[in-house]
Amino acid sequence: MDEQLIAKRNLKIMWFANFFIAGSMTMVLPFISLYIDSFGNFSDQYVQHWSGITFGVTFVTAFIFSPLWGKIGDKYGRRKLLIFSAFGMACSILLMGFVNTVWQLFLLRMFMGVFAGFISMSQAFISTQTPKEMAGRVLGTLQTGTITGQLIGPLLGGILADTFGYSATFKWTSIAIFISAALVMTTKEYRMKDVQGTKTSYTTKEVFKHISRNPLLLNVLLISTLIQIAHFSIQPILSLYVSELHGPANLALFSGIAFSAAGLGNLMMARQWGKMADRYGYIKILIVLLFIAGLVYLPGAFVTNIWQLVVIRFALGVAIGGIIPVRVAYIRQEAPIAMQGEVLGYNTSLRFLGNVIGPVMGGFIAGYFGISSVFLITSGLLLLSGFLLFASMQKNPKLVKHSA
């Protein structure tokens, strides 16, 4: 089997692996706050605060470990790491189905962070098998697997939670992640040959030097944190917002619909954004996406019913869906293959930093100023990210022309 056929086969397999991982992870997101509330008779403020902290702690350990996994992947390959990651997450989530205190859930989500980053590692796995000129399209295709899982996961999770309870849903979720590990076992790993004369390995110092010499690449990495703060600030308390708008009837199901609406927008446009970025330039398309996302999130603060929120979540998904594949494709273009895992590891780490700050910040803001205020701040952060990247593009026009 030649390398092109291996790459196509790997893409198909990883599409389904990401589908199961993303679906499993989002099955439980809509009701984490409700799960915490079921442990005792707590105040709304207590539940909001601990929802943010428990949701975000996974990303604290993921922030620490992501660059390490990226560097190990560059040196030894990513297939084994993907299998290790899936098994670790599956065991962690299985145990979450047996907890009965907030602290037990907190510790297990912290432990799960050691193994987090499966989807980011899969992007690196596929990226090193993909020619630069079609990276946006291929990674956009891979992203649709993640998105489809995110679309179905909350709906299925809501149905399972309403039917069997929260604990049983965690146990079912772990099975789907074990399936992802089995799928990765059937892949074959290889890397495209880099430009002749390019080094086959890099020290961490050399990787940092490469990033620092490219201000646009550095900005893309740093802005990853702001984007994730904005995107994740509302996630752990969205079900509470749905409760305010819709009431307690079938709450888990309607929370799932609100989560899945963004996934549907993602699914429709991720590959298209990737193709446009391949043609017009990754930085230009990233700026457009950030401004669109910032503008469509703003009305979320003023909705009066659940269906208005669903429409806004769908519009957000249309924009957010392109940001991840376009950003990874840009890194694929700007970093030599032998250091891509480590650079993507730093990108993932900075994203996880945003994932830590966002839920905690959103929980505390919602507790003191109301959930509507979280949408206003989220919109401002996305617009700020767009302005910062636009300013960097104007300051470094030669790099933009080179990367377009």
Side-chain angles (χ1 to χ4, degrees):
M1 189 180 293
D2 64 28
E3 291 183 347
Q4 190 175 8
L5 289 175
I6 293 172
K8 287 182 179 179
R9 182 175 178 274
N10 285 347
L11 178 60
K12 290 176 183 177
I13 292 170
M14 293 311 302
W15 191 97
F16 282 102
N18 280 1
F19 166 78
F20 282 113
I21 288 286
S24 301
M25 300 300 288
T26 54
M27 271 188 201
V28 298
L29 288 184
F31 58 79
I32 281 182
S33 57
L34 305 177
Y35 194 37
I36 290 172
D37 195 36
S38 71
F39 294 151
N41 186 22
F42 305 125
S43 68
D44 288 345
Q45 190 178 62
Y46 178 92
V47 173
Q48 288 169 356
H49 287 180
W50 275 101
S51 295
I53 293 169
T54 304
F55 184 85
V57 71
T58 301
F59 307 113
V60 174
T61 43
F63 166 74
I64 296 168
F65 280 91
S66 289
L68 174 63
W69 296 139
K71 191 171 185 65
I72 292 172
D74 280 336
K75 191 170 183 179
Y76 300 106
R78 297 181 180 88
R79 181 175 171 273
K80 292 177 182 177
L81 282 180
L82 286 165
I83 296 168
F84 175 74
S85 170
F87 272 109
M89 284 192 292
C91 292
S92 301
I93 290 178
L94 177 63
L95 292 173
M96 288 178 201
F98 297 95
V99 303
N100 50 36
T101 69
V102 176
W103 275 106
Q104 289 172 343
L105 183 63
F106 172 85
L107 290 172
L108 279 172
R109 282 195 58 84
M110 182 173 66
F111 179 70
M112 189 176 78
V114 175
F115 309 100
F118 180 97
I119 290 171
S120 299
M121 277 191 278
S122 74
Q123 290 166 347
F125 179 65
I126 295 300
S127 174
T128 53
Q129 304 171 12
T130 305
K132 291 182 179 181
E133 63 273 10
M134 58 187 295
R137 184 177 66 198
V138 170
L139 290 166
T141 301
L142 180 66
Q143 179 73 359
T144 61
T146 304
I147 295 162
T148 306
Q150 291 172 342
L151 178 64
I152 296 173
L155 288 172
L156 183 57
I159 293 169
L160 288 172
D162 283 338
T163 306
F164 300 108
Y166 303 130
S167 295
T169 305
F170 280 96
K171 296 165 190 174
W172 281 104
T173 296
S174 67
I175 294 173
I177 300 181
F178 280 121
I179 292 173
S180 293
L183 285 170
V184 177
M185 290 179 185
T186 67
T187 62
K188 293 183 179 180
E189 183 160 7
Y190 87 96
R191 298 182 191 182
M192 292 191 66
K193 293 179 181 178
D194 219 327
V195 179
Q196 192 171 5
T198 304
K199 295 178 64 173
T200 57
S201 64
Y202 293 85
T203 65
T204 298
K205 183 179 180 181
E206 288 173 322
V207 174
F208 274 115
K209 188 178 290 186
H210 178 84
I211 295 171
S212 64
R213 286 175 176 171
N214 188 330
L216 268 179
L217 177 59
L218 180 61
N219 269 275
V220 168
L221 294 175
L222 294 175
I223 285 172
S224 293
T225 301
L226 284 180
I227 295 169
Q228 295 304 111
I229 291 173
H231 188 45
F232 274 77
S233 60
I234 196 66
Q235 297 261 23
I237 54 174
L238 187 61
S239 57
L240 300 176
Y241 199 34
V242 171
S243 179
E244 283 186 14
L245 295 170
H246 180 71
N250 296 316
L251 182 55
L253 175 60
F254 280 94
S255 296
I257 292 172
F259 270 84
S260 294
L264 181 60
N266 267 277
L267 182 62
M268 291 178 65
M269 286 300 295
R271 191 169 187 273
Q272 297 305 315
W273 285 123
K275 288 174 68 176
M276 281 189 274
D278 284 336
R279 183 175 180 182
Y280 297 109
Y282 302 116
I283 295 298
K284 293 173 186 176
I285 296 299
L286 270 175
I287 292 169
V288 170
L289 290 171
L290 288 168
F291 280 123
I292 292 174
L295 291 173
V296 300
Y297 226 135
L298 186 62
F302 309 105
V303 297
T304 56
N305 66 63
I306 178 66
W307 298 113
Q308 292 172 345
L309 178 64
V310 168
V311 170
I312 286 170
R313 292 279 300 170
F314 171 80
L316 175 71
V318 168
I320 291 290
I323 289 176
I324 292 175
V326 171
R327 189 168 50 194
V328 174
Y330 175 72
I331 294 171
R332 162 72 182 94
Q333 182 175 258
E334 295 300 318
I337 285 176
M339 70 163 67
Q340 275 180 33
E342 188 168 353
V343 176
L344 286 168
Y346 293 127
N347 178 61
T348 302
S349 188
L350 289 166
R351 287 177 58 211
F352 283 143
L353 178 62
N355 293 359
V356 174
I357 298 170
V360 176
M361 184 187 80
F364 277 90
I365 290 171
Y368 288 108
F369 303 106
I371 296 175
S372 295
S373 60
V374 180
F375 282 88
L376 299 175
I377 292 171
T378 293
S379 175
L381 286 172
L382 289 166
L383 292 173
L384 175 63
S385 298
F387 278 116
L388 289 173
L389 194 54
F390 178 77
S392 182
M393 181 182 75
Q394 294 298 309
K395 193 173 180 180
N396 302 278
K398 291 182 180 178
L399 289 174
V400 177
K401 288 177 183 177
H402 177 68
S403 63

